[in-house]
Amino acid sequence: MVMANKKSAKTSAKFSSEMFADVPVLQRKWQAAVRPGERLPHYEDVMLGSLGRLADHIVLLRDVDGVLCASHTGRYVQTWLNDERWDIPLSALPPDCATALTEAAANARENCRPYLASAHCVRDGLVRTFDVLALPTRSRWGGILVGVYVNERNDQYNLLDTIFSATDEGVLSLAAIRDARGEAADFQIVHLNQGAARLLMQPATELLWRRLSAGGNPLAAPPVMNRLRGFVGSGPGGQFEIDSGDRCLRLGVTAFGDMLSLTVSDVTALKQREVSFRLLFENNPMPMWVFDAGTMEFLSVNDAAVQHYGYSRERFLGMTLREIWPEDEWGAHSAALREIGDVYQSSRDWRHIRADGTEIHVLTFGRRVAFEGRDGYLVAVVDITERRAAEARIAHMAHHDGLTNLPNRDFYQERLGEALERSRSGNRRVAVMCVDLDLFKNVNDSFGHPMGDRLLKLVAERLREVVRDDNVAARLGGDEFAIVLAADVSPNEASAFAERLIEALSAPYEIDGLEVVVGASVGIALSPGDGTTSEELMRNADMALYRAKSEGGGVHHFFEPEMDQQAQKRRDMERDLRAAFSNGEFELHYQPLVDIAADRISGFESLLRWRHPQKGMVSPAEFIPVAEDIGLIVALGEWVLREACAEAMKWPADVKVAVNLSPVQFRSRNLVQAVISALAHSGLPARRLELEITESVFLAETEANLAILHQLRELGVSISMDDFGTGYSSLSYLRSFPFDKIKIDRSFVKDLARRADCLAIVRAISGLGRSLKITTTAEGVETTDQLDWLRAEGCNEVQGFLFSAAKPGSEIAGLLSKFAERASKAA
């Protein structure tokens, strides 16, 4: 048994050590999952995968209509909560657990960082301390999911039991043993504490399950046995004293049928008990007091209570409980006191009044005690004011935007619904406006997201100045805002308001000495003509906004019915695109890249084509932007990479294949792996793959995208800048990354022979390429005159209809043969 106990102790110590290390492990896992440019990691990257045993300690919190709910709980957490249900509001959980989870989640969400809190949970007087680590994550469906890790420390203690266990008082339970006549003839000890064993002067192991008639302890004396028999079945109990040699023991008896619960006190050790009580009561960091059960007068208060409530000890001891209760809770407090038994804990939180008049929210836990000969209650108090404030912050956060403090989408929808309900009874119109900032993206790209955030706060201040009374201005996300004009609004009034709004938002902003200028576009929908529900009005206002943006911005536009037809066309395009990818309707065509000096095909640019079963060939200019918007371009781009590499393996070893990349593929952060996979599956050498990008790749997350480009270069593939010269900062990108090729946009080649400025630009780009040892390729070459000019200016490669349109893969072999024959004849 000794060896087994040692092994058990080692195992427990090891387990405690592992638990202690869980918090930093989870914090490191959270930090490692944060992606560049993002404040929060994705839920799947943190909470799924390799949690192992830690999964039992996790509770997942999510916001449901402004209410924080536990949507998933591990087995350990279910034991802690004493509740196995999922998808329940925290208000349905034990108050001490719910408030601890609320506090941790609120701080984690507000700071977008893991937050470690300590939860002191009391169960029947047992104070158990838990580590509560909240890990905020981003949900793929929007919003924030908080995974909370819960684990108990080893420093738990039973507050009330400790107070009494530290004294000479003992507790034991006796079961009556009846004889043939049904009378209580003897008693068996079925439970006792060490205090009882100490007072009865026998080891607990010998006393447990022992009959009193066996003798050997003061309870076995015939007079004591007779008194105990008298309590069985005759009443609730009482107390009496027995003389045990040089000690006097006081027995407190409570009867429960054939069960007697005894408290045994050595009244000669009163001073020692008073010292222990002073250590555990007066020096306890939790506010505690004893009050008279009848008069509700304070009989004793500890230092923590004096300090926390601000009353002097003398003032405290001259008060009653009612004086620290708000008047509106007197009835509820009094009713609760009438219903409590020997042990209680708060079924709700209460408000208490401090000496300075401020109110605090508390949970109380108590136990009936005898104090200096008076019947009273020992009470421990937990201040949860900060937790309630955290709950209030969460409630506010559930309905307001965290950055601008404007109402969020949910609150906006709620207020819009109320306005529409009122308008129906009075036959009035409600105006819904969707607002989008013009040029806001340029601010983010030029000065960074912190500057963009500060600008949005200033925009919110102006919105609050313009939108008043019962009207509502909300931030829907990014630089998108929405407004409800709840009063009866005519089209002229809505138009005038929109003009004032655009003027207010377009005025310059001063940030850190810089003058920042953005504009605003507004789309307007009026009920009931443009819709009778919030969904219809929001959708139609958004379509009107799209029209305003397409007209150059800085204007407002009312909804028109034909806009809905355009939106339906877009929805049809999205549906058909998804079906096209599943049905294999996409195909690749290849346009040759011709080396001018060698008069040979040096490579092919792969171009995506969509053969719609009803509409025939759909222009890439129509479907590529839609594929990017709906997120299909990532999977489509990976398919293009695989197909192009596999096709290129059929060509001569010195012929390359070029593949266009979308900026959206960079945001997926899986681009490098997709390229590696395509090369590996096809067997194509990396030097034969050329990846074409446009400068839009650098307009956001520049550092992260540059890192991806360098990783691609390390694989051995070539990187080319497409449509060079059409952007406002193309030259700066050449300095940021060593491109292998720059492609001169077709707009310069088209007017090469007629416009001197186009010739000058081509000459400059070709000269720049020679200086930087970068290949230059001209796009859109359609005439021999254009080819001659490009050859004269030193351009290295050309492509265009002069040589060939883009062809299916099945025609590439014939195209290569044709060029080979032409080269032979020229030789």
mmCIF file of all heavy atoms in Angstrom, residues 142-182:
data_model
loop_
_atom_site.group_PDB
_atom_site.id
_atom_site.type_symbol
_atom_site.label_atom_id
_atom_site.label_comp_id
_atom_site.label_asym_id
_atom_site.label_seq_id
_atom_site.Cartn_x
_atom_site.Cartn_y
_atom_site.Cartn_z
ATOM 1 N N GLY A 142 -18.307 34.604 -40.071
ATOM 2 C CA GLY A 142 -18.352 35.968 -39.575
ATOM 3 C C GLY A 142 -18.480 35.983 -38.051
ATOM 4 O O GLY A 142 -18.983 35.056 -37.427
ATOM 5 N N GLY A 143 -18.014 37.073 -37.455
ATOM 6 C CA GLY A 143 -18.102 37.196 -36.013
ATOM 7 C C GLY A 143 -16.941 36.514 -35.314
ATOM 8 O O GLY A 143 -15.984 36.040 -35.926
ATOM 9 N N ILE A 144 -17.042 36.476 -33.995
ATOM 10 C CA ILE A 144 -15.954 35.963 -33.160
ATOM 11 C C ILE A 144 -16.464 34.791 -32.340
ATOM 12 O O ILE A 144 -17.520 34.866 -31.719
ATOM 13 C CB ILE A 144 -15.410 37.064 -32.221
ATOM 14 C CG1 ILE A 144 -14.800 38.211 -33.045
ATOM 15 C CG2 ILE A 144 -14.377 36.499 -31.259
ATOM 16 C CD1 ILE A 144 -14.319 39.359 -32.197
ATOM 17 N N LEU A 145 -15.708 33.687 -32.384
ATOM 18 C CA LEU A 145 -15.954 32.534 -31.523
ATOM 19 C C LEU A 145 -14.869 32.532 -30.451
ATOM 20 O O LEU A 145 -13.699 32.738 -30.749
ATOM 21 C CB LEU A 145 -15.901 31.230 -32.316
ATOM 22 C CG LEU A 145 -16.979 31.033 -33.396
ATOM 23 C CD1 LEU A 145 -16.733 29.720 -34.127
ATOM 24 C CD2 LEU A 145 -18.357 31.033 -32.784
ATOM 25 N N VAL A 146 -15.254 32.299 -29.215
ATOM 26 C CA VAL A 146 -14.289 32.286 -28.118
ATOM 27 C C VAL A 146 -14.222 30.874 -27.546
ATOM 28 O O VAL A 146 -15.219 30.346 -27.041
ATOM 29 C CB VAL A 146 -14.685 33.298 -27.020
ATOM 30 C CG1 VAL A 146 -13.634 33.281 -25.906
ATOM 31 C CG2 VAL A 146 -14.817 34.697 -27.595
ATOM 32 N N GLY A 147 -13.048 30.266 -27.675
ATOM 33 C CA GLY A 147 -12.811 28.983 -27.036
ATOM 34 C C GLY A 147 -12.224 29.223 -25.655
ATOM 35 O O GLY A 147 -11.233 29.920 -25.513
ATOM 36 N N VAL A 148 -12.845 28.671 -24.625
ATOM 37 C CA VAL A 148 -12.404 28.913 -23.247
ATOM 38 C C VAL A 148 -11.930 27.595 -22.644
ATOM 39 O O VAL A 148 -12.658 26.597 -22.619
ATOM 40 C CB VAL A 148 -13.539 29.512 -22.402
ATOM 41 C CG1 VAL A 148 -13.014 29.812 -20.993
ATOM 42 C CG2 VAL A 148 -14.072 30.786 -23.039
ATOM 43 N N TYR A 149 -10.679 27.619 -22.176
ATOM 44 C CA TYR A 149 -10.082 26.459 -21.516
ATOM 45 C C TYR A 149 -10.291 26.610 -20.003
ATOM 46 O O TYR A 149 -10.031 27.665 -19.433
ATOM 47 C CB TYR A 149 -8.594 26.394 -21.856
ATOM 48 C CG TYR A 149 -7.788 25.478 -20.953
ATOM 49 C CD1 TYR A 149 -7.717 24.118 -21.204
ATOM 50 C CD2 TYR A 149 -7.090 25.986 -19.858
ATOM 51 C CE1 TYR A 149 -6.973 23.278 -20.399
ATOM 52 C CE2 TYR A 149 -6.351 25.155 -19.039
ATOM 53 C CZ TYR A 149 -6.297 23.807 -19.319
ATOM 54 O OH TYR A 149 -5.569 22.985 -18.510
ATOM 55 N N VAL A 150 -10.782 25.555 -19.357
ATOM 56 C CA VAL A 150 -11.070 25.582 -17.927
ATOM 57 C C VAL A 150 -10.358 24.417 -17.258
ATOM 58 O O VAL A 150 -10.447 23.272 -17.724
ATOM 59 C CB VAL A 150 -12.591 25.485 -17.669
ATOM 60 C CG1 VAL A 150 -12.865 25.506 -16.169
ATOM 61 C CG2 VAL A 150 -13.336 26.608 -18.368
ATOM 62 N N ASN A 151 -9.634 24.720 -16.178
ATOM 63 C CA ASN A 151 -8.985 23.639 -15.433
ATOM 64 C C ASN A 151 -8.774 24.084 -13.990
ATOM 65 O O ASN A 151 -8.481 25.256 -13.706
ATOM 66 C CB ASN A 151 -7.653 23.246 -16.066
ATOM 67 C CG ASN A 151 -7.171 21.907 -15.531
ATOM 68 O OD1 ASN A 151 -7.948 20.967 -15.400
ATOM 69 N ND2 ASN A 151 -5.920 21.826 -15.197
ATOM 70 N N GLU A 152 -8.926 23.144 -13.085
ATOM 71 C CA GLU A 152 -8.844 23.461 -11.662
ATOM 72 C C GLU A 152 -7.404 23.458 -11.172
ATOM 73 O O GLU A 152 -6.597 22.621 -11.558
ATOM 74 C CB GLU A 152 -9.671 22.456 -10.863
ATOM 75 C CG GLU A 152 -9.735 22.796 -9.363
ATOM 76 C CD GLU A 152 -10.621 21.847 -8.595
ATOM 77 O OE1 GLU A 152 -11.123 20.888 -9.211
ATOM 78 O OE2 GLU A 152 -10.802 22.054 -7.382
ATOM 79 N N ARG A 153 -7.105 24.428 -10.330
ATOM 80 C CA ARG A 153 -5.801 24.420 -9.651
ATOM 81 C C ARG A 153 -5.859 23.469 -8.460
ATOM 82 O O ARG A 153 -6.910 22.944 -8.101
ATOM 83 C CB ARG A 153 -5.467 25.835 -9.156
ATOM 84 C CG ARG A 153 -5.332 26.866 -10.257
ATOM 85 C CD ARG A 153 -4.986 28.212 -9.649
ATOM 86 N NE ARG A 153 -5.081 29.298 -10.619
ATOM 87 C CZ ARG A 153 -5.090 30.571 -10.293
ATOM 88 N NH1 ARG A 153 -4.996 30.945 -9.029
ATOM 89 N NH2 ARG A 153 -5.193 31.489 -11.232
ATOM 90 N N ASN A 154 -4.698 23.300 -7.810
ATOM 91 C CA ASN A 154 -4.641 22.383 -6.671
ATOM 92 C C ASN A 154 -4.941 23.061 -5.338
ATOM 93 O O ASN A 154 -4.900 22.425 -4.303
ATOM 94 C CB ASN A 154 -3.256 21.730 -6.582
ATOM 95 C CG ASN A 154 -3.066 20.687 -7.662
ATOM 96 O OD1 ASN A 154 -4.029 20.088 -8.107
ATOM 97 N ND2 ASN A 154 -1.826 20.480 -8.081
ATOM 98 N N ASP A 155 -5.233 24.387 -5.377
ATOM 99 C CA ASP A 155 -5.360 25.113 -4.112
ATOM 100 C C ASP A 155 -6.821 25.246 -3.672
ATOM 101 O O ASP A 155 -7.211 26.253 -3.105
ATOM 102 C CB ASP A 155 -4.713 26.494 -4.206
ATOM 103 C CG ASP A 155 -5.232 27.277 -5.407
ATOM 104 O OD1 ASP A 155 -5.979 26.694 -6.208
ATOM 105 O OD2 ASP A 155 -4.869 28.470 -5.509
ATOM 106 N N GLN A 156 -7.652 24.245 -3.984
ATOM 107 C CA GLN A 156 -9.037 24.306 -3.550
ATOM 108 C C GLN A 156 -9.114 24.057 -2.047
ATOM 109 O O GLN A 156 -8.274 23.376 -1.460
ATOM 110 C CB GLN A 156 -9.870 23.285 -4.296
ATOM 111 C CG GLN A 156 -9.586 21.845 -3.895
ATOM 112 C CD GLN A 156 -10.509 20.893 -4.625
ATOM 113 O OE1 GLN A 156 -10.816 21.082 -5.771
ATOM 114 N NE2 GLN A 156 -10.939 19.859 -3.950
ATOM 115 N N TYR A 157 -10.131 24.651 -1.441
ATOM 116 C CA TYR A 157 -10.348 24.387 -0.032
ATOM 117 C C TYR A 157 -11.817 24.597 0.292
ATOM 118 O O TYR A 157 -12.505 25.367 -0.376
ATOM 119 C CB TYR A 157 -9.474 25.281 0.854
ATOM 120 C CG TYR A 157 -9.758 26.760 0.718
ATOM 121 C CD1 TYR A 157 -10.633 27.405 1.586
ATOM 122 C CD2 TYR A 157 -9.156 27.509 -0.287
ATOM 123 C CE1 TYR A 157 -10.894 28.765 1.470
ATOM 124 C CE2 TYR A 157 -9.402 28.872 -0.410
ATOM 125 C CZ TYR A 157 -10.285 29.487 0.477
ATOM 126 O OH TYR A 157 -10.548 30.821 0.355
ATOM 127 N N ASN A 158 -12.295 23.856 1.274
ATOM 128 C CA ASN A 158 -13.665 23.999 1.734
ATOM 129 C C ASN A 158 -13.659 25.054 2.821
ATOM 130 O O ASN A 158 -13.198 24.821 3.931
ATOM 131 C CB ASN A 158 -14.190 22.672 2.268
ATOM 132 C CG ASN A 158 -15.672 22.737 2.557
ATOM 133 O OD1 ASN A 158 -16.130 23.629 3.235
ATOM 134 N ND2 ASN A 158 -16.407 21.761 2.045
ATOM 135 N N LEU A 159 -14.169 26.231 2.459
ATOM 136 C CA LEU A 159 -14.069 27.379 3.334
ATOM 137 C C LEU A 159 -14.715 27.118 4.683
ATOM 138 O O LEU A 159 -14.074 27.250 5.732
ATOM 139 C CB LEU A 159 -14.705 28.594 2.649
ATOM 140 C CG LEU A 159 -14.703 29.896 3.453
ATOM 141 C CD1 LEU A 159 -13.298 30.347 3.695
ATOM 142 C CD2 LEU A 159 -15.509 30.945 2.721
ATOM 143 N N LEU A 160 -15.994 26.744 4.621
ATOM 144 C CA LEU A 160 -16.712 26.611 5.887
ATOM 145 C C LEU A 160 -16.256 25.373 6.657
ATOM 146 O O LEU A 160 -16.083 25.429 7.874
ATOM 147 C CB LEU A 160 -18.214 26.563 5.614
ATOM 148 C CG LEU A 160 -18.771 27.820 4.916
ATOM 149 C CD1 LEU A 160 -20.255 27.692 4.684
ATOM 150 C CD2 LEU A 160 -18.477 29.057 5.748
ATOM 151 N N ASP A 161 -16.049 24.271 5.919
ATOM 152 C CA ASP A 161 -15.579 23.065 6.613
ATOM 153 C C ASP A 161 -14.208 23.276 7.222
ATOM 154 O O ASP A 161 -13.891 22.754 8.296
ATOM 155 C CB ASP A 161 -15.542 21.877 5.653
ATOM 156 C CG ASP A 161 -16.926 21.341 5.357
ATOM 157 O OD1 ASP A 161 -17.870 21.789 6.028
ATOM 158 O OD2 ASP A 161 -17.047 20.503 4.456
ATOM 159 N N THR A 162 -13.355 24.046 6.539
ATOM 160 C CA THR A 162 -12.011 24.312 7.060
ATOM 161 C C THR A 162 -12.081 25.063 8.381
ATOM 162 O O THR A 162 -11.310 24.812 9.309
ATOM 163 C CB THR A 162 -11.198 25.123 6.042
ATOM 164 O OG1 THR A 162 -11.113 24.391 4.824
ATOM 165 C CG2 THR A 162 -9.803 25.403 6.556
ATOM 166 N N ILE A 163 -13.021 26.023 8.422
ATOM 167 C CA ILE A 163 -13.159 26.800 9.658
ATOM 168 C C ILE A 163 -13.415 25.889 10.834
ATOM 169 O O ILE A 163 -12.827 26.035 11.911
ATOM 170 C CB ILE A 163 -14.284 27.843 9.504
ATOM 171 C CG1 ILE A 163 -13.868 28.907 8.478
ATOM 172 C CG2 ILE A 163 -14.635 28.481 10.835
ATOM 173 C CD1 ILE A 163 -14.948 29.913 8.180
ATOM 174 N N PHE A 164 -14.301 24.904 10.607
ATOM 175 C CA PHE A 164 -14.645 24.032 11.720
ATOM 176 C C PHE A 164 -13.677 22.868 11.870
ATOM 177 O O PHE A 164 -13.405 22.407 12.983
ATOM 178 C CB PHE A 164 -16.069 23.508 11.541
ATOM 179 C CG PHE A 164 -17.105 24.587 11.700
ATOM 180 C CD1 PHE A 164 -17.702 25.156 10.599
ATOM 181 C CD2 PHE A 164 -17.442 25.062 12.949
ATOM 182 C CE1 PHE A 164 -18.632 26.162 10.738
ATOM 183 C CE2 PHE A 164 -18.376 26.059 13.102
ATOM 184 C CZ PHE A 164 -18.977 26.624 12.000
ATOM 185 N N SER A 165 -13.120 22.403 10.746
ATOM 186 C CA SER A 165 -12.178 21.277 10.825
ATOM 187 C C SER A 165 -10.897 21.681 11.534
ATOM 188 O O SER A 165 -10.206 20.847 12.105
ATOM 189 C CB SER A 165 -11.853 20.762 9.422
ATOM 190 O OG SER A 165 -13.004 20.247 8.823
ATOM 191 N N ALA A 166 -10.553 22.971 11.457
ATOM 192 C CA ALA A 166 -9.315 23.430 12.093
ATOM 193 C C ALA A 166 -9.465 23.526 13.607
ATOM 194 O O ALA A 166 -8.492 23.748 14.318
ATOM 195 C CB ALA A 166 -8.910 24.788 11.519
ATOM 196 N N THR A 167 -10.688 23.436 14.107
ATOM 197 C CA THR A 167 -10.913 23.506 15.551
ATOM 198 C C THR A 167 -10.984 22.090 16.127
ATOM 199 O O THR A 167 -10.772 21.104 15.413
ATOM 200 C CB THR A 167 -12.218 24.262 15.839
ATOM 201 O OG1 THR A 167 -13.302 23.446 15.421
ATOM 202 C CG2 THR A 167 -12.244 25.571 15.076
ATOM 203 N N ASP A 168 -11.328 22.001 17.386
ATOM 204 C CA ASP A 168 -11.495 20.686 18.027
ATOM 205 C C ASP A 168 -12.872 20.111 17.803
ATOM 206 O O ASP A 168 -13.190 19.047 18.330
ATOM 207 C CB ASP A 168 -11.231 20.784 19.534
ATOM 208 C CG ASP A 168 -9.750 20.865 19.834
ATOM 209 O OD1 ASP A 168 -8.960 20.524 18.933
ATOM 210 O OD2 ASP A 168 -9.399 21.274 20.940
ATOM 211 N N GLU A 169 -13.723 20.815 17.067
ATOM 212 C CA GLU A 169 -15.076 20.318 16.855
ATOM 213 C C GLU A 169 -15.041 19.123 15.908
ATOM 214 O O GLU A 169 -14.364 19.142 14.877
ATOM 215 C CB GLU A 169 -15.973 21.411 16.286
ATOM 216 C CG GLU A 169 -17.427 21.007 16.194
ATOM 217 C CD GLU A 169 -18.319 22.179 15.834
ATOM 218 O OE1 GLU A 169 -17.851 23.064 15.105
ATOM 219 O OE2 GLU A 169 -19.470 22.196 16.276
ATOM 220 N N GLY A 170 -15.800 18.104 16.210
ATOM 221 C CA GLY A 170 -15.870 16.929 15.378
ATOM 222 C C GLY A 170 -17.267 16.745 14.814
ATOM 223 O O GLY A 170 -18.244 17.248 15.359
ATOM 224 N N VAL A 171 -17.333 16.047 13.709
ATOM 225 C CA VAL A 171 -18.606 15.753 13.073
ATOM 226 C C VAL A 171 -18.651 14.263 12.795
ATOM 227 O O VAL A 171 -17.704 13.695 12.247
ATOM 228 C CB VAL A 171 -18.767 16.550 11.754
ATOM 229 C CG1 VAL A 171 -20.100 16.191 11.082
ATOM 230 C CG2 VAL A 171 -18.672 18.035 11.995
ATOM 231 N N LEU A 172 -19.746 13.652 13.180
ATOM 232 C CA LEU A 172 -19.915 12.234 12.854
ATOM 233 C C LEU A 172 -21.398 11.931 12.677
ATOM 234 O O LEU A 172 -22.258 12.683 13.142
ATOM 235 C CB LEU A 172 -19.290 11.326 13.909
ATOM 236 C CG LEU A 172 -19.945 11.221 15.301
ATOM 237 C CD1 LEU A 172 -19.476 9.958 15.986
ATOM 238 C CD2 LEU A 172 -19.607 12.425 16.162
ATOM 239 N N SER A 173 -21.655 10.858 11.956
ATOM 240 C CA SER A 173 -23.026 10.427 11.697
ATOM 241 C C SER A 173 -23.220 9.032 12.255
ATOM 242 O O SER A 173 -22.369 8.153 12.085
ATOM 243 C CB SER A 173 -23.316 10.428 10.191
ATOM 244 O OG SER A 173 -23.184 11.723 9.667
ATOM 245 N N LEU A 174 -24.380 8.843 12.925
ATOM 246 C CA LEU A 174 -24.704 7.558 13.526
ATOM 247 C C LEU A 174 -25.957 6.992 12.887
ATOM 248 O O LEU A 174 -26.922 7.733 12.647
ATOM 249 C CB LEU A 174 -24.946 7.718 15.035
ATOM 250 C CG LEU A 174 -23.819 8.351 15.866
ATOM 251 C CD1 LEU A 174 -24.257 8.467 17.313
ATOM 252 C CD2 LEU A 174 -22.550 7.530 15.752
ATOM 253 N N ALA A 175 -25.940 5.702 12.617
ATOM 254 C CA ALA A 175 -27.119 5.014 12.106
ATOM 255 C C ALA A 175 -27.684 4.133 13.212
ATOM 256 O O ALA A 175 -26.957 3.314 13.806
ATOM 257 C CB ALA A 175 -26.771 4.167 10.892
ATOM 258 N N ALA A 176 -28.968 4.312 13.535
ATOM 259 C CA ALA A 176 -29.593 3.516 14.599
ATOM 260 C C ALA A 176 -29.767 2.074 14.157
ATOM 261 O O ALA A 176 -30.108 1.795 13.004
ATOM 262 C CB ALA A 176 -30.944 4.124 14.960
ATOM 263 N N ILE A 177 -29.509 1.133 15.079
ATOM 264 C CA ILE A 177 -29.717 -0.295 14.838
ATOM 265 C C ILE A 177 -30.849 -0.749 15.746
ATOM 266 O O ILE A 177 -30.765 -0.639 16.975
ATOM 267 C CB ILE A 177 -28.435 -1.099 15.129
ATOM 268 C CG1 ILE A 177 -27.302 -0.614 14.221
ATOM 269 C CG2 ILE A 177 -28.693 -2.602 14.937
ATOM 270 C CD1 ILE A 177 -25.981 -1.266 14.529
ATOM 271 N N ARG A 178 -31.940 -1.201 15.134
ATOM 272 C CA ARG A 178 -33.127 -1.562 15.910
ATOM 273 C C ARG A 178 -33.118 -3.058 16.263
ATOM 274 O O ARG A 178 -32.606 -3.878 15.501
ATOM 275 C CB ARG A 178 -34.393 -1.211 15.138
ATOM 276 C CG ARG A 178 -34.539 0.297 14.904
ATOM 277 C CD ARG A 178 -35.841 0.641 14.186
ATOM 278 N NE ARG A 178 -35.964 2.078 13.971
ATOM 279 C CZ ARG A 178 -36.491 2.918 14.851
ATOM 280 N NH1 ARG A 178 -36.961 2.437 16.015
ATOM 281 N NH2 ARG A 178 -36.571 4.211 14.587
ATOM 282 N N ASP A 179 -33.731 -3.337 17.426
ATOM 283 C CA ASP A 179 -33.825 -4.736 17.852
ATOM 284 C C ASP A 179 -35.099 -5.363 17.324
ATOM 285 O O ASP A 179 -35.811 -4.765 16.506
ATOM 286 C CB ASP A 179 -33.752 -4.837 19.383
ATOM 287 C CG ASP A 179 -34.844 -4.020 20.068
ATOM 288 O OD1 ASP A 179 -35.846 -3.672 19.377
ATOM 289 O OD2 ASP A 179 -34.692 -3.691 21.261
ATOM 290 N N ALA A 180 -35.422 -6.563 17.797
ATOM 291 C CA ALA A 180 -36.580 -7.298 17.283
ATOM 292 C C ALA A 180 -37.888 -6.574 17.577
ATOM 293 O O ALA A 180 -38.885 -6.740 16.865
ATOM 294 C CB ALA A 180 -36.624 -8.705 17.888
ATOM 295 N N ARG A 181 -37.870 -5.736 18.614
ATOM 296 C CA ARG A 181 -39.084 -4.999 18.944
ATOM 297 C C ARG A 181 -39.185 -3.696 18.158
ATOM 298 O O ARG A 181 -40.134 -2.942 18.313
ATOM 299 C CB ARG A 181 -39.089 -4.692 20.444
ATOM 300 C CG ARG A 181 -39.230 -5.936 21.316
ATOM 301 C CD ARG A 181 -39.023 -5.627 22.777
ATOM 302 N NE ARG A 181 -37.678 -5.100 23.005
ATOM 303 C CZ ARG A 181 -37.256 -4.682 24.202
ATOM 304 N NH1 ARG A 181 -38.045 -4.718 25.247
ATOM 305 N NH2 ARG A 181 -36.023 -4.219 24.341
ATOM 306 N N GLY A 182 -38.171 -3.413 17.317
ATOM 307 C CA GLY A 182 -38.202 -2.208 16.491
ATOM 308 C C GLY A 182 -37.699 -0.965 17.206
ATOM 309 O O GLY A 182 -37.887 0.152 16.710
#
